[in-house]
Amino acid sequence: MTTYDADVIVIGAGLAGLAATAELAAAGRRAILLEQEPEQSFGGQAFWSFGGLFLVDSPEQRRLRIRDSHALAWQDWLGTAAFDRPEDHWPRRWAEAYVDFAAGEKRAWLHRLGVRFFPVVGWAERGGYDATGHGNSVPRFHITWGTGPGLLEPFVRQVRDAAARGLADLRFRHRVTALSRTAGAVDTVSGEILAPSTAARGAASSREKAGEFVLRAPAVIVASGGIGGNHDLVRAHWPRRLGEPPERMLSGVPAHVDGAMLGITEAAGGCLVNRDRMWHYTEGIENWDPVWARHGIRILPGPSPLWFDATGRRLPVPLFPGFDTLGTLEHIMHTGHDHTWFVLDRRIIGKEFTLSGSDQNPDLTGRSIRGVLGRARAGVPGPVQAFLDRGADFVVERDLDALVRGMNALTGKELIDADGLRREIAARDREMANPFTKDLQIAALRGARGYLGDRATRIAAPHRILDPAAGPLIAVRLSILTRKTLGGLETDLSARVLTPAGEPLPGVYAAGEAAGFGGGGMHGYRSLEGTFLGGCLFSGRAAGRAAARDLG
């Protein structure tokens, strides 16, 4: 008779792994949760997140007079995903199930667990094409009160409670190197025990080997994340449709997010699909206080900054800030340069710059109502002011000639002509003189201010950027920031990993980014935002429930 160490082995203690482990414990199953990083990094990448979640027809939306529906959300998802491959069968099935979840029980389920939301709903990925194209037709980006740590809290609590009851065995510093089979089913997980580490959350930890391990269970759930910290792998799978990969990239995730488990699962018989689908941001700035190597922060901009390529040419319609991430990335990578510029003023940066991440939003992360109200009155928020004062990518000057000299000095190349940049900005400013305009960015920002949430908290009143009263002028160098893997291990709706022949790989399930958030890529080519954390929760929950059920 085979002796097992647990009912299920879960690989990866991020949000998807925690959701799966919580479900297993709720079903009375014993799980071993393996994590290569030290306990300080418990919760994975979700800890650093802004905590945004995609919800449909929520009470928060209705209070702001946002009319949303399942039909509209599915229309937006299909227009954004643009599924067009045979291997999109399961991703599309997962997408349908996820939109049902987001329009159905998702909010109530999270609410029962204690999750609450900031009352103003954000409008991410606005698109700018026709009704069936990419983008959110309405605001759907719900910020968790407490940001990423607030979303993690109930799942960390459930898993620690399970550990106290003997249903979860938490093993940090366990790095998986192989999955192997007995009688055709994957039931053995082996690897290295790494030396203890006091590295801070997200910081590089030692890879010194202190021992080895072999563990056995009739089911294994792979929840190990994607490839965003492995720039070599990002470049290897970079899609040709986006041009050549950038020479210089920042990292939105720690280096240990390296995709190793994807290769290990593939070697064990799993099928990887949509490797060339990925989600990288175009508004990355170097963190002046980095935690990991090449640590970048994403600017979540409002629609007012003027966006110029490396040579001072304005980006084309509809590539405005916050409208089409991958469309902008594709355009940038065909310019021959891998950086761009925001040009704006102090009035705009004070109202419209939010920095993504829990650490850059201490008021929301700390659930401080006073802090949030203070942000609205502060002019420039403290975390943004810190980048203005210390950030390597910021140029602040009173006049445009000096600003351009600073921009060229920052890149070490005379790429931008002051007269040309002045013509572009002055032309835009002339369009502000009356309510009519042919500048579609101005039309877009005026339209966005028709939404109460944006007008109150997010978008500066339209004004001339060269107006001295709005100054000083600010230029921000933007770099490509690696983030999410949209493809992954192909899974059916029970989160079972499939083989290249389309059959379930016995004993193996996958969740979170390792599974392309479901099916091997439920987002298709693009994301509507707020769908990554939710995808981890949804697929992790599905994997935990399916594994518990399939054990009989």
Side-chain angles (χ1 to χ4, degrees), residues 54 59 131 177 210 220 274 319 321 332 357 417 508:
F54 176 92
T177 58
V220 175
N274 299 315
L319 305 183
I332 292 170
D417 172 68
V508 185

Side-chain angles (χ1 to χ4, degrees), residues 57 80 95 123 170 179 255 266 270 276 282 289 309 339 363 369 398 401 418 463 516 520 525:
D57 193 26
T80 295
W123 196 349
L170 313 182
L179 303 176
E266 185 179 32
D276 65 333
T282 53
D289 186 20
D309 71 15
H339 74 277
D363 48 355
I369 295 174
R398 280 288 171 185
D401 288 325
H463 63 276
Y525 287 95

Side-chain angles (χ1 to χ4, degrees), residues 410-475:
L410 191 57
T411 61
K413 298 178 181 179
E414 297 291 320
L415 293 175
I416 298 180
D417 172 68
D419 290 339
L421 198 67
R422 181 177 286 105
R423 279 194 299 273
E424 283 280 4
I425 300 173
R428 177 264 187 201
D429 281 358
R430 288 188 196 99
E431 299 284 314
M432 305 302 296
N434 59 63
F436 305 101
T437 183
K438 67 179 179 182
D439 189 314
L440 291 183
Q441 183 173 0
I442 293 174
L445 73 89
R446 286 174 174 166
R449 281 176 60 84
Y451 165 46
L452 176 62
D454 275 348
R455 186 170 68 253
T457 68
R458 191 76 176 106
I459 300 179
H463 63 276
R464 292 182 297 112
I465 288 177
L466 294 179
D467 180 356
L473 295 170
I474 299 166

Side-chain angles (χ1 to χ4, degrees), residues 49-50 117-119 143-150 350 353-384 457:
S49 75
F50 199 33
F117 297 101
F118 186 62
I143 301 169
T144 302
W145 189 233
T147 66
F353 264 35
T354 298
L355 301 173
S356 183
S358 57
D359 54 335
Q360 301 298 327
N361 295 275
D363 48 355
L364 293 167
T365 302
R367 301 182 175 97
S368 170
I369 295 174
R370 177 178 294 179
V372 171
L373 294 175
R375 180 199 294 224
R377 296 191 299 264
V380 178
V384 176
T457 68

